[in-house]
Amino acid sequence: YPSLEGIQEFKVITHGFTGEHGGAVGAIVQVATKSGTNRFHGTLFEFVRNDIFDARNYFDSPTDPIPPLRLNQYGGTVGGPIRSEKTFFFLTYEGQRVRRSVTNTFTVPTESMRRGDFSGLATIYDPLSTAVDGQRAGFQGNRIPANLIDPVAQAFLANIPLPNRPGTAQNLVSSEKEVTDMDQFNARFDHHFSAEDTFFARYSIFN
């Protein structure tokens, strides 16, 4: 994804693909990057988001502070002639730094479920019982005996946090920290041999 400041034009093709696109399906986006001109020119930009400016997430606790957010997207371009009317350069850089806490809701087993206690919920059937008329027997009191709970499942459940909200659905709210660092650099060089013959090369780095 080239920096927006480095895009000259783009075209979206949705049907009628020519042979150069092979067996493409869906849509094709063609992007032409900017080239230098006979005059030096450049741009600088920055886009900022911060929890100071943001409203509270609907799922966040109304008593807790708004989860932190620091988002900076910045960069610049510079272009011009290497040899007037003949050779040109155009450079772009874009960086992004994101530090934020993302609030998500999950459904996790309650403490009683982890012990095999599903009382008050839909019937849990014993897979080891003999089927009668196509129906197996339900566990007494809808509780799975401890000796039938797989130790692998118990070890797995030990790594899943307990609910922090009531109920059996959407009962865990978590705000995990997300860190994103992105840098991209594009360099384009154009040379005009004549009005009919031109050449360009572009080198891109995205990290």
Side-chain angles (χ1 to χ4, degrees), residues 86-103:
K86 285 289 186 181
T87 310
F88 313 95
F89 75 94
F90 193 82
L91 309 175
T92 68
Y93 166 77
E94 182 173 319
Q96 188 178 80
R97 301 293 182 270
V98 182
R99 305 290 184 271
R100 64 179 174 181
S101 292
V102 181
T103 301

mmCIF file with all atom_site columns, all heavy atoms in Angstrom, residues 86-103:
data_model
loop_
_atom_site.group_PDB
_atom_site.id
_atom_site.type_symbol
_atom_site.label_atom_id
_atom_site.label_alt_id
_atom_site.label_comp_id
_atom_site.label_asym_id
_atom_site.label_entity_id
_atom_site.label_seq_id
_atom_site.pdbx_PDB_ins_code
_atom_site.Cartn_x
_atom_site.Cartn_y
_atom_site.Cartn_z
_atom_site.occupancy
_atom_site.B_iso_or_equiv
_atom_site.pdbx_formal_charge
_atom_site.auth_seq_id
_atom_site.auth_comp_id
_atom_site.auth_asym_id
_atom_site.auth_atom_id
_atom_site.pdbx_PDB_model_num
ATOM 1   N N   . LYS A 1 86  ? 15.198  15.930 -18.251 1.00 0.00 ? 86  LYS A N   1
ATOM 2   C CA  . LYS A 1 86  ? 15.628  14.571 -18.588 1.00 0.00 ? 86  LYS A CA  1
ATOM 3   C C   . LYS A 1 86  ? 15.413  13.564 -17.453 1.00 0.00 ? 86  LYS A C   1
ATOM 4   O O   . LYS A 1 86  ? 14.773  12.530 -17.634 1.00 0.00 ? 86  LYS A O   1
ATOM 5   C CB  . LYS A 1 86  ? 17.114  14.584 -18.981 1.00 0.00 ? 86  LYS A CB  1
ATOM 6   C CG  . LYS A 1 86  ? 17.395  15.153 -20.353 1.00 0.00 ? 86  LYS A CG  1
ATOM 7   C CD  . LYS A 1 86  ? 16.915  14.188 -21.436 1.00 0.00 ? 86  LYS A CD  1
ATOM 8   C CE  . LYS A 1 86  ? 17.316  14.665 -22.836 1.00 0.00 ? 86  LYS A CE  1
ATOM 9   N NZ  . LYS A 1 86  ? 16.818  13.736 -23.892 1.00 0.00 ? 86  LYS A NZ  1
ATOM 10  N N   . THR A 1 87  ? 15.987  13.847 -16.286 1.00 0.00 ? 87  THR A N   1
ATOM 11  C CA  . THR A 1 87  ? 16.027  12.861 -15.208 1.00 0.00 ? 87  THR A CA  1
ATOM 12  C C   . THR A 1 87  ? 15.435  13.460 -13.945 1.00 0.00 ? 87  THR A C   1
ATOM 13  O O   . THR A 1 87  ? 15.776  14.596 -13.582 1.00 0.00 ? 87  THR A O   1
ATOM 14  C CB  . THR A 1 87  ? 17.466  12.387 -14.949 1.00 0.00 ? 87  THR A CB  1
ATOM 15  O OG1 . THR A 1 87  ? 18.062  12.007 -16.189 1.00 0.00 ? 87  THR A OG1 1
ATOM 16  C CG2 . THR A 1 87  ? 17.479  11.192 -14.010 1.00 0.00 ? 87  THR A CG2 1
ATOM 17  N N   . PHE A 1 88  ? 14.588  12.681 -13.256 1.00 0.00 ? 88  PHE A N   1
ATOM 18  C CA  . PHE A 1 88  ? 13.865  13.189 -12.093 1.00 0.00 ? 88  PHE A CA  1
ATOM 19  C C   . PHE A 1 88  ? 13.855  12.143 -10.971 1.00 0.00 ? 88  PHE A C   1
ATOM 20  O O   . PHE A 1 88  ? 14.033  10.960 -11.223 1.00 0.00 ? 88  PHE A O   1
ATOM 21  C CB  . PHE A 1 88  ? 12.414  13.533 -12.477 1.00 0.00 ? 88  PHE A CB  1
ATOM 22  C CG  . PHE A 1 88  ? 12.302  14.344 -13.736 1.00 0.00 ? 88  PHE A CG  1
ATOM 23  C CD1 . PHE A 1 88  ? 12.087  13.726 -14.962 1.00 0.00 ? 88  PHE A CD1 1
ATOM 24  C CD2 . PHE A 1 88  ? 12.419  15.724 -13.706 1.00 0.00 ? 88  PHE A CD2 1
ATOM 25  C CE1 . PHE A 1 88  ? 11.990  14.467 -16.125 1.00 0.00 ? 88  PHE A CE1 1
ATOM 26  C CE2 . PHE A 1 88  ? 12.315  16.483 -14.864 1.00 0.00 ? 88  PHE A CE2 1
ATOM 27  C CZ  . PHE A 1 88  ? 12.099  15.850 -16.077 1.00 0.00 ? 88  PHE A CZ  1
ATOM 28  N N   . PHE A 1 89  ? 13.607  12.633 -9.769  1.00 0.00 ? 89  PHE A N   1
ATOM 29  C CA  . PHE A 1 89  ? 13.474  11.724 -8.631  1.00 0.00 ? 89  PHE A CA  1
ATOM 30  C C   . PHE A 1 89  ? 12.244  12.119 -7.819  1.00 0.00 ? 89  PHE A C   1
ATOM 31  O O   . PHE A 1 89  ? 11.806  13.271 -7.841  1.00 0.00 ? 89  PHE A O   1
ATOM 32  C CB  . PHE A 1 89  ? 14.728  11.764 -7.737  1.00 0.00 ? 89  PHE A CB  1
ATOM 33  C CG  . PHE A 1 89  ? 14.818  12.997 -6.889  1.00 0.00 ? 89  PHE A CG  1
ATOM 34  C CD1 . PHE A 1 89  ? 14.337  13.009 -5.573  1.00 0.00 ? 89  PHE A CD1 1
ATOM 35  C CD2 . PHE A 1 89  ? 15.362  14.185 -7.391  1.00 0.00 ? 89  PHE A CD2 1
ATOM 36  C CE1 . PHE A 1 89  ? 14.402  14.152 -4.788  1.00 0.00 ? 89  PHE A CE1 1
ATOM 37  C CE2 . PHE A 1 89  ? 15.430  15.329 -6.618  1.00 0.00 ? 89  PHE A CE2 1
ATOM 38  C CZ  . PHE A 1 89  ? 14.949  15.310 -5.308  1.00 0.00 ? 89  PHE A CZ  1
ATOM 39  N N   . PHE A 1 90  ? 11.703  11.141 -7.085  1.00 0.00 ? 90  PHE A N   1
ATOM 40  C CA  . PHE A 1 90  ? 10.595  11.406 -6.172  1.00 0.00 ? 90  PHE A CA  1
ATOM 41  C C   . PHE A 1 90  ? 10.704  10.421 -5.013  1.00 0.00 ? 90  PHE A C   1
ATOM 42  O O   . PHE A 1 90  ? 10.752  9.204  -5.218  1.00 0.00 ? 90  PHE A O   1
ATOM 43  C CB  . PHE A 1 90  ? 9.237   11.251 -6.868  1.00 0.00 ? 90  PHE A CB  1
ATOM 44  C CG  . PHE A 1 90  ? 8.092   11.812 -6.076  1.00 0.00 ? 90  PHE A CG  1
ATOM 45  C CD1 . PHE A 1 90  ? 7.806   13.169 -6.109  1.00 0.00 ? 90  PHE A CD1 1
ATOM 46  C CD2 . PHE A 1 90  ? 7.306   10.994 -5.272  1.00 0.00 ? 90  PHE A CD2 1
ATOM 47  C CE1 . PHE A 1 90  ? 6.761   13.700 -5.367  1.00 0.00 ? 90  PHE A CE1 1
ATOM 48  C CE2 . PHE A 1 90  ? 6.268   11.514 -4.530  1.00 0.00 ? 90  PHE A CE2 1
ATOM 49  C CZ  . PHE A 1 90  ? 5.989   12.872 -4.577  1.00 0.00 ? 90  PHE A CZ  1
ATOM 50  N N   . LEU A 1 91  ? 10.745  10.941 -3.783  1.00 0.00 ? 91  LEU A N   1
ATOM 51  C CA  . LEU A 1 91  ? 10.908  10.126 -2.588  1.00 0.00 ? 91  LEU A CA  1
ATOM 52  C C   . LEU A 1 91  ? 9.707   10.318 -1.664  1.00 0.00 ? 91  LEU A C   1
ATOM 53  O O   . LEU A 1 91  ? 9.209   11.435 -1.494  1.00 0.00 ? 91  LEU A O   1
ATOM 54  C CB  . LEU A 1 91  ? 12.185  10.515 -1.827  1.00 0.00 ? 91  LEU A CB  1
ATOM 55  C CG  . LEU A 1 91  ? 13.493  10.575 -2.628  1.00 0.00 ? 91  LEU A CG  1
ATOM 56  C CD1 . LEU A 1 91  ? 14.624  11.105 -1.746  1.00 0.00 ? 91  LEU A CD1 1
ATOM 57  C CD2 . LEU A 1 91  ? 13.842  9.208  -3.183  1.00 0.00 ? 91  LEU A CD2 1
ATOM 58  N N   . THR A 1 92  ? 9.247   9.238  -1.056  1.00 0.00 ? 92  THR A N   1
ATOM 59  C CA  . THR A 1 92  ? 8.164   9.327  -0.071  1.00 0.00 ? 92  THR A CA  1
ATOM 60  C C   . THR A 1 92  ? 8.534   8.504  1.158   1.00 0.00 ? 92  THR A C   1
ATOM 61  O O   . THR A 1 92  ? 9.197   7.471  1.054   1.00 0.00 ? 92  THR A O   1
ATOM 62  C CB  . THR A 1 92  ? 6.824   8.800  -0.619  1.00 0.00 ? 92  THR A CB  1
ATOM 63  O OG1 . THR A 1 92  ? 6.915   7.381  -0.820  1.00 0.00 ? 92  THR A OG1 1
ATOM 64  C CG2 . THR A 1 92  ? 6.460   9.474  -1.922  1.00 0.00 ? 92  THR A CG2 1
ATOM 65  N N   . TYR A 1 93  ? 8.104   8.999  2.310   1.00 0.00 ? 93  TYR A N   1
ATOM 66  C CA  . TYR A 1 93  ? 8.255   8.252  3.557   1.00 0.00 ? 93  TYR A CA  1
ATOM 67  C C   . TYR A 1 93  ? 6.954   8.378  4.341   1.00 0.00 ? 93  TYR A C   1
ATOM 68  O O   . TYR A 1 93  ? 6.329   9.441  4.375   1.00 0.00 ? 93  TYR A O   1
ATOM 69  C CB  . TYR A 1 93  ? 9.404   8.780  4.417   1.00 0.00 ? 93  TYR A CB  1
ATOM 70  C CG  . TYR A 1 93  ? 9.341   8.233  5.829   1.00 0.00 ? 93  TYR A CG  1
ATOM 71  C CD1 . TYR A 1 93  ? 9.742   6.925  6.108   1.00 0.00 ? 93  TYR A CD1 1
ATOM 72  C CD2 . TYR A 1 93  ? 8.826   8.999  6.867   1.00 0.00 ? 93  TYR A CD2 1
ATOM 73  C CE1 . TYR A 1 93  ? 9.646   6.411  7.391   1.00 0.00 ? 93  TYR A CE1 1
ATOM 74  C CE2 . TYR A 1 93  ? 8.726   8.492  8.155   1.00 0.00 ? 93  TYR A CE2 1
ATOM 75  C CZ  . TYR A 1 93  ? 9.135   7.201  8.405   1.00 0.00 ? 93  TYR A CZ  1
ATOM 76  O OH  . TYR A 1 93  ? 9.021   6.688  9.674   1.00 0.00 ? 93  TYR A OH  1
ATOM 77  N N   . GLU A 1 94  ? 6.532   7.274  4.964   1.00 0.00 ? 94  GLU A N   1
ATOM 78  C CA  . GLU A 1 94  ? 5.376   7.312  5.849   1.00 0.00 ? 94  GLU A CA  1
ATOM 79  C C   . GLU A 1 94  ? 5.640   6.401  7.044   1.00 0.00 ? 94  GLU A C   1
ATOM 80  O O   . GLU A 1 94  ? 6.127   5.279  6.874   1.00 0.00 ? 94  GLU A O   1
ATOM 81  C CB  . GLU A 1 94  ? 4.105   6.856  5.129   1.00 0.00 ? 94  GLU A CB  1
ATOM 82  C CG  . GLU A 1 94  ? 2.858   6.932  6.008   1.00 0.00 ? 94  GLU A CG  1
ATOM 83  C CD  . GLU A 1 94  ? 1.576   6.640  5.246   1.00 0.00 ? 94  GLU A CD  1
ATOM 84  O OE1 . GLU A 1 94  ? 1.439   7.119  4.104   1.00 0.00 ? 94  GLU A OE1 1
ATOM 85  O OE2 . GLU A 1 94  ? 0.708   5.935  5.801   1.00 0.00 ? 94  GLU A OE2 1
ATOM 86  N N   . GLY A 1 95  ? 5.339   6.901  8.230   1.00 0.00 ? 95  GLY A N   1
ATOM 87  C CA  . GLY A 1 95  ? 5.491   6.117  9.451   1.00 0.00 ? 95  GLY A CA  1
ATOM 88  C C   . GLY A 1 95  ? 4.209   6.120  10.244  1.00 0.00 ? 95  GLY A C   1
ATOM 89  O O   . GLY A 1 95  ? 3.389   7.047  10.135  1.00 0.00 ? 95  GLY A O   1
ATOM 90  N N   . GLN A 1 96  ? 4.030   5.083  11.025  1.00 0.00 ? 96  GLN A N   1
ATOM 91  C CA  . GLN A 1 96  ? 2.838   5.003  11.876  1.00 0.00 ? 96  GLN A CA  1
ATOM 92  C C   . GLN A 1 96  ? 3.241   4.393  13.216  1.00 0.00 ? 96  GLN A C   1
ATOM 93  O O   . GLN A 1 96  ? 3.952   3.388  13.263  1.00 0.00 ? 96  GLN A O   1
ATOM 94  C CB  . GLN A 1 96  ? 1.757   4.143  11.222  1.00 0.00 ? 96  GLN A CB  1
ATOM 95  C CG  . GLN A 1 96  ? 0.421   4.180  11.953  1.00 0.00 ? 96  GLN A CG  1
ATOM 96  C CD  . GLN A 1 96  ? -0.645  3.356  11.249  1.00 0.00 ? 96  GLN A CD  1
ATOM 97  O OE1 . GLN A 1 96  ? -0.685  2.144  11.390  1.00 0.00 ? 96  GLN A OE1 1
ATOM 98  N NE2 . GLN A 1 96  ? -1.492  4.019  10.476  1.00 0.00 ? 96  GLN A NE2 1
ATOM 99  N N   . ARG A 1 97  ? 2.794   5.027  14.305  1.00 0.00 ? 97  ARG A N   1
ATOM 100 C CA  . ARG A 1 97  ? 3.035   4.526  15.657  1.00 0.00 ? 97  ARG A CA  1
ATOM 101 C C   . ARG A 1 97  ? 1.695   4.484  16.383  1.00 0.00 ? 97  ARG A C   1
ATOM 102 O O   . ARG A 1 97  ? 1.023   5.506  16.504  1.00 0.00 ? 97  ARG A O   1
ATOM 103 C CB  . ARG A 1 97  ? 4.011   5.440  16.416  1.00 0.00 ? 97  ARG A CB  1
ATOM 104 C CG  . ARG A 1 97  ? 5.377   5.593  15.752  1.00 0.00 ? 97  ARG A CG  1
ATOM 105 C CD  . ARG A 1 97  ? 6.160   4.294  15.778  1.00 0.00 ? 97  ARG A CD  1
ATOM 106 N NE  . ARG A 1 97  ? 7.487   4.455  15.182  1.00 0.00 ? 97  ARG A NE  1
ATOM 107 C CZ  . ARG A 1 97  ? 7.754   4.261  13.902  1.00 0.00 ? 97  ARG A CZ  1
ATOM 108 N NH1 . ARG A 1 97  ? 6.781   3.926  13.069  1.00 0.00 ? 97  ARG A NH1 1
ATOM 109 N NH2 . ARG A 1 97  ? 8.988   4.406  13.443  1.00 0.00 ? 97  ARG A NH2 1
ATOM 110 N N   . VAL A 1 98  ? 1.313   3.289  16.830  1.00 0.00 ? 98  VAL A N   1
ATOM 111 C CA  . VAL A 1 98  ? 0.023   3.112  17.503  1.00 0.00 ? 98  VAL A CA  1
ATOM 112 C C   . VAL A 1 98  ? 0.269   2.455  18.846  1.00 0.00 ? 98  VAL A C   1
ATOM 113 O O   . VAL A 1 98  ? 0.926   1.417  18.941  1.00 0.00 ? 98  VAL A O   1
ATOM 114 C CB  . VAL A 1 98  ? -0.944  2.240  16.673  1.00 0.00 ? 98  VAL A CB  1
ATOM 115 C CG1 . VAL A 1 98  ? -2.278  2.125  17.393  1.00 0.00 ? 98  VAL A CG1 1
ATOM 116 C CG2 . VAL A 1 98  ? -1.142  2.817  15.285  1.00 0.00 ? 98  VAL A CG2 1
ATOM 117 N N   . ARG A 1 99  ? -0.245  3.067  19.894  1.00 0.00 ? 99  ARG A N   1
ATOM 118 C CA  . ARG A 1 99  ? -0.248  2.498  21.242  1.00 0.00 ? 99  ARG A CA  1
ATOM 119 C C   . ARG A 1 99  ? -1.669  2.635  21.772  1.00 0.00 ? 99  ARG A C   1
ATOM 120 O O   . ARG A 1 99  ? -2.139  3.744  22.032  1.00 0.00 ? 99  ARG A O   1
ATOM 121 C CB  . ARG A 1 99  ? 0.722   3.252  22.166  1.00 0.00 ? 99  ARG A CB  1
ATOM 122 C CG  . ARG A 1 99  ? 2.159   3.337  21.651  1.00 0.00 ? 99  ARG A CG  1
ATOM 123 C CD  . ARG A 1 99  ? 2.835   1.982  21.684  1.00 0.00 ? 99  ARG A CD  1
ATOM 124 N NE  . ARG A 1 99  ? 4.241   2.060  21.283  1.00 0.00 ? 99  ARG A NE  1
ATOM 125 C CZ  . ARG A 1 99  ? 4.662   1.946  20.025  1.00 0.00 ? 99  ARG A CZ  1
ATOM 126 N NH1 . ARG A 1 99  ? 3.784   1.762  19.047  1.00 0.00 ? 99  ARG A NH1 1
ATOM 127 N NH2 . ARG A 1 99  ? 5.944   2.004  19.735  1.00 0.00 ? 99  ARG A NH2 1
ATOM 128 N N   . ARG A 1 100 ? -2.365  1.529  21.892  1.00 0.00 ? 100 ARG A N   1
ATOM 129 C CA  . ARG A 1 100 ? -3.744  1.628  22.339  1.00 0.00 ? 100 ARG A CA  1
ATOM 130 C C   . ARG A 1 100 ? -4.171  0.347  23.048  1.00 0.00 ? 100 ARG A C   1
ATOM 131 O O   . ARG A 1 100 ? -3.542  -0.698 22.908  1.00 0.00 ? 100 ARG A O   1
ATOM 132 C CB  . ARG A 1 100 ? -4.685  1.883  21.158  1.00 0.00 ? 100 ARG A CB  1
ATOM 133 C CG  . ARG A 1 100 ? -4.756  0.768  20.138  1.00 0.00 ? 100 ARG A CG  1
ATOM 134 C CD  . ARG A 1 100 ? -5.739  1.123  19.043  1.00 0.00 ? 100 ARG A CD  1
ATOM 135 N NE  . ARG A 1 100 ? -5.739  0.152  17.961  1.00 0.00 ? 100 ARG A NE  1
ATOM 136 C CZ  . ARG A 1 100 ? -6.492  0.241  16.882  1.00 0.00 ? 100 ARG A CZ  1
ATOM 137 N NH1 . ARG A 1 100 ? -7.303  1.264  16.742  1.00 0.00 ? 100 ARG A NH1 1
ATOM 138 N NH2 . ARG A 1 100 ? -6.428  -0.670 15.943  1.00 0.00 ? 100 ARG A NH2 1
ATOM 139 N N   . SER A 1 101 ? -5.255  0.475  23.796  1.00 0.00 ? 101 SER A N   1
ATOM 140 C CA  . SER A 1 101 ? -5.887  -0.671 24.428  1.00 0.00 ? 101 SER A CA  1
ATOM 141 C C   . SER A 1 101 ? -7.215  -0.910 23.726  1.00 0.00 ? 101 SER A C   1
ATOM 142 O O   . SER A 1 101 ? -8.042  -0.004 23.623  1.00 0.00 ? 101 SER A O   1
ATOM 143 C CB  . SER A 1 101 ? -6.122  -0.413 25.917  1.00 0.00 ? 101 SER A CB  1
ATOM 144 O OG  . SER A 1 101 ? -4.894  -0.348 26.608  1.00 0.00 ? 101 SER A OG  1
ATOM 145 N N   . VAL A 1 102 ? -7.400  -2.124 23.234  1.00 0.00 ? 102 VAL A N   1
ATOM 146 C CA  . VAL A 1 102 ? -8.588  -2.469 22.473  1.00 0.00 ? 102 VAL A CA  1
ATOM 147 C C   . VAL A 1 102 ? -9.534  -3.254 23.372  1.00 0.00 ? 102 VAL A C   1
ATOM 148 O O   . VAL A 1 102 ? -9.154  -4.281 23.932  1.00 0.00 ? 102 VAL A O   1
ATOM 149 C CB  . VAL A 1 102 ? -8.229  -3.298 21.228  1.00 0.00 ? 102 VAL A CB  1
ATOM 150 C CG1 . VAL A 1 102 ? -9.485  -3.623 20.427  1.00 0.00 ? 102 VAL A CG1 1
ATOM 151 C CG2 . VAL A 1 102 ? -7.225  -2.550 20.370  1.00 0.00 ? 102 VAL A CG2 1
ATOM 152 N N   . THR A 1 103 ? -10.761 -2.767 23.526  1.00 0.00 ? 103 THR A N   1
ATOM 153 C CA  . THR A 1 103 ? -11.759 -3.431 24.363  1.00 0.00 ? 103 THR A CA  1
ATOM 154 C C   . THR A 1 103 ? -12.532 -4.447 23.540  1.00 0.00 ? 103 THR A C   1
ATOM 155 O O   . THR A 1 103 ? -13.089 -4.113 22.493  1.00 0.00 ? 103 THR A O   1
ATOM 156 C CB  . THR A 1 103 ? -12.726 -2.403 24.967  1.00 0.00 ? 103 THR A CB  1
ATOM 157 O OG1 . THR A 1 103 ? -11.995 -1.470 25.750  1.00 0.00 ? 103 THR A OG1 1
ATOM 158 C CG2 . THR A 1 103 ? -13.769 -3.091 25.843  1.00 0.00 ? 103 THR A CG2 1
#
